[in-house]
Amino acid sequence: MKKRAISFLLAAALTLGLIGCSGKESGSDSGKTDSPSKDLTISIFQSKNSIIDQLEDMAEEYTELTGIKVEVLGAPGENYLDNLRGKLTGKQGPTIFTVSEGTQLDILHSYLCDLSKEPYVSEIAEGMGLEYEGTLLGIPQAVEGYGMVCNDVLFGDTELKDFDSFQAFAEELSAKDISLVELSDNSYFMLGHILNTPFAMQEDYRAYLEKLNAGEVKMSETPEFIEWAKFMEVIRDTSGNPMGITYDDQAADFMTGKAASIHQGNWVWLQFADYEADFDISLRPFPLMGNEKICVGIPNAWVVNNQKSEEEIEAGKDFLEWMFTSERGQHYITEEFKFIPAMKNIEVADIDPLSMAVHEYVMEENTLPWTYNIWPEGMVTNQLAAVAQKFFSDTSMTGSEFLEELDKAWSAGVK
């Protein structure tokens, strides 16, 4: 299993036909001389409040460079999709906006331009483009990834390659009152993320999900899930019940040596800032059936509104090309937005070590997809989480019984 050690010193639903999304020639870093008329304004709407100020700075810089006005619409709040749908159905939608895979893409795909002919799309890392029925509709805003965030001092030379090595090490640590893998009470941190792995390891996870939704297959009869349930028994028996363990508690237990690893993603780095520690960390795959990949996905992708005039569409595409190919555009992605790029042409340096580890897995195409983006809506929080709570509270429940209950809950969630 490949290990990334990090020297770590902390100081701190609609139908519209696709229209007018024509291709174009590649632009330059300094802006295109054949750009649309400079009295044109393009607008940008996206779902991350945390980058509004930086995005406005980027827009101002692009306007100074090209003369094209770029308007960044206000912070979206909690109702991004509803707000966006209102704008689009009223034909007042932004030129550029962000869409995530799953419900948003299912609802909004008919508004999106085909971006497959853009000159830089060959730089998108394998499997990271936003596609609908085989057509590239979105350029990944960033990637995020998760796995086992490990304290290498506690791990020592131990390599987790399969269930047997996992169980043996979990029992060894438990004898010292140390958890091997600590989960927390958030529905995704307790179940959703870790359950993604057996789904993602299916030969065709989309086809498997269709069959599961139709009742044609069961998790309790699928080898990867059967093995996964054995891991979950070990986690429960050696790490305890995650109910009552908050996200903050999970990070604290890891940083103070109570947990040798936590099942988390690169975002957890910010939780470590209040702890003084000097030890190596690695981001390792969950070793289900010898798995050596971490789970990586794109929270959002940039798209272009096909309702706009051809001139505005071209201007929107020009802006995205500049952002992903120019030195200044790439600077904003990595240095100002603090994103992990999903583009092979963007170098990264000044990002935190966990994010760098995710980036390396992506560049090496050593990743599993986020399958829960296309699970039935609300499946984790409304159906599966209660089953997980029961499993962790009732130590007499076997892994097989856990899977059977998950099957029942899934079936109820589909209906």
Side-chain angles (χ1 to χ4, degrees):
M1 180 184 301
K2 190 173 296 184
K3 181 171 83 173
R4 287 159 176 75
I6 304 167
S7 292
F8 176 53
L9 179 60
L10 286 169
L14 300 160
T15 56
L16 293 171
L18 289 173
I19 62 172
C21 296
S22 58
K24 56 185 173 59
E25 299 299 321
S26 176
S28 66
D29 285 359
S30 59
K32 299 168 68 174
T33 58
D34 59 344
S35 294
S37 59
K38 294 186 177 181
D39 59 352
L40 181 69
T41 297
I42 63 173
S43 56
I44 302 175
F45 189 53
Q46 57 85 46
S47 58
K48 289 187 72 68
N49 288 311
S50 61
I51 66 166
I52 288 292
D53 292 341
Q54 297 90 333
L55 192 57
E56 288 178 344
D57 291 342
M58 183 184 192
E60 289 180 10
E61 184 168 333
Y62 186 77
T63 297
E64 292 175 1
L65 178 67
T66 66
I68 304 298
K69 297 179 182 178
V70 182
E71 178 185 10
V72 177
L73 303 181
E78 297 181 356
N79 299 309
Y80 175 73
L81 179 58
D82 290 341
N83 196 330
L84 178 58
R85 289 177 71 179
K87 294 176 186 293
L88 292 169
T89 55
K91 297 189 183 297
Q92 298 297 317
T95 317
I96 298 169
F97 52 99
T98 56
V99 171
S100 62
E101 189 177 26
T103 299
Q104 288 189 11
L105 182 60
D106 289 342
I107 293 173
L108 301 176
H109 67 88
S110 60
Y111 291 104
L112 313 183
C113 281
D114 180 351
L115 300 179
S116 59
K117 294 183 180 180
E118 295 305 292
Y120 54 89
V121 299
S122 61
E123 299 293 343
I124 298 174
E126 180 69 22
M128 296 300 157
L130 184 70
E131 295 187 357
Y132 187 83
E133 296 183 347
T135 299
L136 182 71
L137 299 180
I139 311 302
Q141 190 180 49
V143 295
E144 293 181 340
Y146 62 81
M148 291 172 58
V149 178
C150 301
N151 179 331
D152 285 350
V153 172
L154 293 177
F155 268 69
D157 295 330
T158 302
E159 293 283 358
L160 303 183
K161 299 180 178 181
D162 51 24
F163 174 75
D164 288 342
S165 58
F166 184 91
Q167 182 181 38
F169 192 46
E171 292 175 350
E172 176 186 332
L173 290 174
S174 181
K176 303 174 184 178
D177 293 325
I178 299 172
S179 300
L180 172 53
V181 182
E182 185 172 276
L183 307 176
S184 71
D185 58 8
N186 175 281
S187 59
Y188 275 87
F189 296 160
M190 176 172 54
L191 180 68
H193 286 170
I194 201 166
L195 182 59
N196 178 74
T197 302
F199 277 101
M201 291 177 65
Q202 300 304 307
E203 183 176 357
D204 183 339
Y205 74 85
R206 293 178 183 274
Y208 182 85
L209 279 165
E210 289 178 3
K211 291 180 180 179
L212 183 64
N213 292 339
E216 297 172 2
V217 297
K218 293 182 178 180
M219 289 180 274
S220 57
E221 298 174 354
T222 305
E224 290 81 3
F225 288 90
I226 294 171
E227 185 81 354
W228 172 85
K230 293 167 58 181
F231 278 86
M232 296 303 288
E233 282 192 64
V234 171
I235 291 173
R236 180 191 61 191
D237 296 344
T238 60
S239 298
N241 190 340
M243 294 305 298
I245 298 177
T246 67
Y247 178 42
D248 289 343
D249 293 337
Q250 191 183 25
D253 287 348
F254 175 73
M255 294 303 296
T256 57
K258 296 178 181 178
S261 78
I262 54 177
H263 197 270
Q264 273 295 349
N266 57 280
W267 50 79
V268 77
W269 182 266
L270 295 177
Q271 300 300 115
F272 297 161
D274 293 335
Y275 298 89
E276 294 184 4
D278 185 7
F279 56 88
D280 286 349
I281 280 182
S282 60
L283 181 61
R284 310 187 191 196
F286 187 68
L288 175 65
M289 302 181 88
N291 170 54
E292 295 186 352
K293 301 179 179 182
I294 67 167
C295 298
V296 175
I298 55 170
N300 290 289
W302 295 108
V303 301
V304 177
N305 184 353
N306 66 22
Q307 291 184 314
K308 297 299 183 179
S309 67
E310 183 174 349
E311 184 180 39
E312 190 170 337
I313 287 170
E314 291 303 312
K317 289 181 177 180
D318 288 348
F319 179 84
L320 292 182
E321 182 177 343
W322 175 82
M323 179 166 61
F324 286 109
T325 64
S326 73
E327 181 179 346
R328 289 300 297 167
Q330 293 176 2
H331 163 82
Y332 276 95
I333 291 171
T334 60
E335 303 298 321
E336 303 298 332
F337 302 161
K338 301 296 183 183
F339 285 167
I340 309 171
M343 310 291 289
K344 294 179 287 187
N345 62 315
I346 301 179
E347 296 183 3
V348 296
D350 188 22
I351 60 175
D352 68 79
L354 287 181
S355 296
M356 180 62 77
V358 172
H359 177 68
E360 291 174 0
Y361 276 103
V362 171
M363 292 302 105
E364 294 169 9
E365 300 181 4
N366 205 19
T367 64
L368 294 174
W370 289 359
T371 70
Y372 43 74
N373 285 332
I374 59 172
W375 294 3
E377 189 171 4
M379 181 59 74
V380 175
T381 55
N382 299 335
Q383 301 294 333
L384 305 184
V387 179
Q389 292 169 10
K390 180 180 179 181
F391 170 76
F392 283 110
S393 299
D394 182 1
T395 58
S396 69
M397 179 183 282
T398 66
S400 296
E401 291 169 337
F402 185 26
L403 288 179
E404 290 170 0
E405 291 297 316
L406 288 175
D407 277 328
K408 292 176 184 178
W410 191 285
S411 179
V414 171
K415 296 176 182 179

